Amino acid sequence: MIQTFKAGLLLLCCLMTTACSTPNSTIREEFEKSMKAYNKLLRWHEIEGAGMAYMVPELRDEFVKAAADIKKREVAITDFRILTSECLPDKGTGEVVAEFDYYILPSNRIKTQSYRQDWVYRDINERKSWKVKSGLPPFE
């Protein structure tokens, strides 16, 4: 009797675990990974690489120009924080509000810039992935 109860309980737990791993939860996990990786690349001064990996193709050229301007002006990002993030898998969209601390040489005064990011879940070359469709903030 106890063996049957344990087996039933184990089966119920397995079914609940399987039910929780829906395609939407996978899409949410991919969003979290992409959003964090993109912002980390910006933080570590890999701005052009972030754009090549995560920017929607139609905005990449503009993004690369903005990245070159940031590099030329010697903007140094020192930290970032994700203030809010929302993923809407049914709509294939996401939104992030991040905050970046930075300075512009020769000054060593730390400034803070908010950066609202709009994300979209796209199928590019038969590969589904999250892409950002918001340009870089001004970092003035």
Side-chain angles (χ1 to χ4, degrees), residues 120-134:
V120 61
Y121 193 64
R122 299 189 78 188
D123 188 348
I124 299 173
N125 298 328
E126 298 181 22
R127 186 166 175 249
K128 294 183 178 179
S129 61
W130 283 99
K131 299 292 181 187
V132 68
K133 58 179 190 171
S134 304

Side-chain angles (χ1 to χ4, degrees), residues 10-93:
L10 180 61
L11 180 62
L12 179 63
C13 288
C14 289
L15 288 172
M16 289 177 66
T17 302
T18 303
C20 290
S21 63
T22 63
N24 281 352
S25 67
T26 301
I27 291 172
R28 285 180 196 275
E29 290 169 9
E30 290 174 19
F31 174 72
E32 288 290 320
K33 286 179 187 176
S34 296
M35 175 261 300
K36 287 177 182 176
Y38 172 75
N39 285 289
K40 283 181 183 178
L41 285 170
L42 296 180
R43 160 60 183 99
W44 292 109
H45 308 274
E46 297 292 335
I47 299 171
E48 189 173 299
M52 296 307 289
Y54 293 102
M55 182 58 58
V56 292
E58 57 271 19
L59 297 177
R60 275 194 195 132
D61 289 341
E62 183 181 323
F63 187 93
V64 169
K65 287 177 187 172
D69 179 60
I70 286 171
K71 186 175 183 177
K72 184 175 113 185
R73 292 187 304 118
E74 299 188 68
V75 174
I77 297 172
T78 61
D79 198 10
F80 79 94
R81 293 165 294 289
I82 303 299
L83 301 179
T84 64
S85 69
E86 181 178 24
C87 177
L88 302 171
D90 296 337
K91 293 182 179 181
T93 62

Side-chain angles (χ1 to χ4, degrees), residues 1-7:
M1 178 81 161
I2 292 177
Q3 292 287 0
T4 306
F5 177 74
K6 285 182 180 178

